[in-house]
Amino acid sequence: MDCCTPSADRPLTSVPAPVPGTGNHRIEQISVPSQTFAMGDAHDDGVRADGEQPVHPVRVPAFSIDATSVTVADFRAFATETGYRTDAEQYGWSAVFHLALTDPDHVAGQMQGTPWWLGVEGANWAHPGGPSDVAADDHPAVHVSWNDAQAYCAWAGRRLPSEAEWECAARAGLPSLRYPWGDELPSDGHALNIWQGSFPTTNLGSDGFITTAPVRTFTPNAYGLWQPVGNVWEWVADWFSPTYYAESPAGDPRGPADGTAKVIRGGSYLCHDSYCNRYRNAARSSNTPDSSTGNMGFRTAANR
């Protein structure tokens, strides 16, 4: 966990049983070829506690992955058909960044250790800033926990990508680069949706967005993935361990057998190099499976 992704500090819940449904998953699919790639931080940019090193060769079989994060419209189709209620809806609140708050009278309290995060009653995937805030259909669905992402996957006949698959897809065949396009951020600030300004009080919005951007914003990577870095953190299947890379198998690794937190990838609109440079291909963080925030979403994958 880091300052951008507060844990809900709730008791861990079991993974929901598969939700019946038609599995109408409408997101464009990207085919990723079988390959061996160098996984991990080759630039020594990461926080040691995140466990981005050592760089190690990983073989992944061919798979398909969503071109975008799962959108509000996609998640609504699932929730409408199944009647599914997310962890945030069941608990009655979720974590909202203070500048995204729309309903001050619904604040239940500040998140411990990260006072810029507020526990807001009625905040969920349909109302990201609070009860009066209506989510835009073409934005990523946020306030979804790992449990919620798993439930969506069960309905859609999909799965969450492994951490290795996620990084492979983000790198798009370009080895050891910091970002999907290269090693440097463009000076105009228009390559990805991250924080510009002084965190946590002033976001200049130079990239055009204060919170989430529509999922098809900026330029996709060489494989055709939109915004694998920036915009929202994305849940992957693996349990988190900061020492896993030192013991990871070379063939199709799937993470530790157990743990207390799940890996999230890609960073979000709150990341800034002054404190949280996790908007990189190699960057990783984690959160508990029932945690939900206004900057965590997911995309899905499938075997080919």
Side-chain angles (χ1 to χ4, degrees):
M1 191 190 78
D2 62 56
C3 60
C4 309
T5 56
S7 170
D9 197 26
R10 302 161 174 159
L12 294 182
T13 57
S14 58
V15 178
V19 179
T22 61
N24 290 328
H25 185 70
R26 294 167 290 188
I27 298 176
E28 176 191 356
Q29 292 303 292
I30 302 300
S31 293
V32 179
S34 175
Q35 60 190 277
T36 297
F37 75 102
M39 185 172 182
D41 172 20
H43 299 271
D44 201 24
D45 291 328
V47 178
R48 290 293 179 182
D50 289 348
E52 296 180 24
Q53 294 176 332
V55 177
H56 55 292
V58 168
R59 296 190 307 275
V60 292
F63 64 99
S64 66
I65 191 167
D66 293 341
T68 71
S69 303
V70 171
T71 68
V72 170
D74 299 318
F75 201 83
R76 180 181 293 110
F78 155 65
T80 299
E81 181 172 317
T82 64
Y84 182 83
R85 296 181 70 238
T86 60
D87 278 335
E89 290 169 293
Q90 294 184 66
Y91 285 114
W93 65 276
S94 189
V96 175
F97 188 71
H98 72 111
L99 295 183
L101 177 68
T102 59
D103 297 81
D105 56 338
H106 282 75
V107 174
Q110 293 177 319
M111 306 300 288
Q112 185 176 4
T114 52
W116 44 85
W117 282 103
L118 307 173
V120 178
E121 296 170 345
N124 55 53
W125 66 269
H127 305 283
S132 69
D133 187 24
V134 179
D137 278 358
D138 61 347
H139 284 236
V142 293
H143 296 293
V144 289
S145 68
W146 186 89
N147 294 337
D148 302 329
Q150 286 288 89
Y152 178 96
C153 287
W155 167 78
R158 307 280 295 172
R159 60 176 175 80
L160 290 176
S162 70
E163 186 175 14
E165 287 175 329
W166 189 98
E167 185 168 326
C168 178
R171 291 190 178 281
L174 303 176
S176 301
L177 299 179
R178 284 190 174 94
Y179 310 112
W181 56 84
D183 280 334
E184 303 298 329
L185 288 174
S187 58
D188 62 9
H190 286 90
L192 74 171
N193 181 15
I194 55 175
W195 186 279
Q196 294 96 26
S198 178
F199 185 87
T201 57
T202 306
N203 188 345
L204 300 176
S206 304
D207 53 27
F209 305 96
I210 299 298
T211 60
T212 59
V215 295
R216 291 177 180 268
T217 304
F218 307 111
T219 301
N221 74 4
Y223 280 167
L225 271 70
W226 296 80
Q227 299 188 90
V229 297
N231 211 24
V232 295
W233 286 100
E234 295 181 350
W235 292 107
V236 297
D238 306 33
W239 289 108
F240 174 79
S241 167
T243 62
Y244 182 69
Y245 281 14
E247 59 199 41
S248 170
D252 196 20
R254 296 286 163 159
D258 54 29
T260 60
K262 291 290 186 176
V263 177
I264 51 176
R265 283 300 208 121
S268 81
Y269 60 84
L270 295 180
C271 284
H272 185 271
D273 61 7
S274 66
Y275 68 95
C276 174
N277 68 336
R278 293 181 175 93
Y279 46 92
R280 296 173 288 107
N281 290 327
R284 60 201 302 257
S285 192
S286 65
N287 215 328
T288 55
D290 64 340
S291 289
S292 60
T293 72
N295 67 337
M296 287 196 303
F298 69 105
R299 73 179 76 207
T300 75
N303 299 339
R304 277 178 51 198

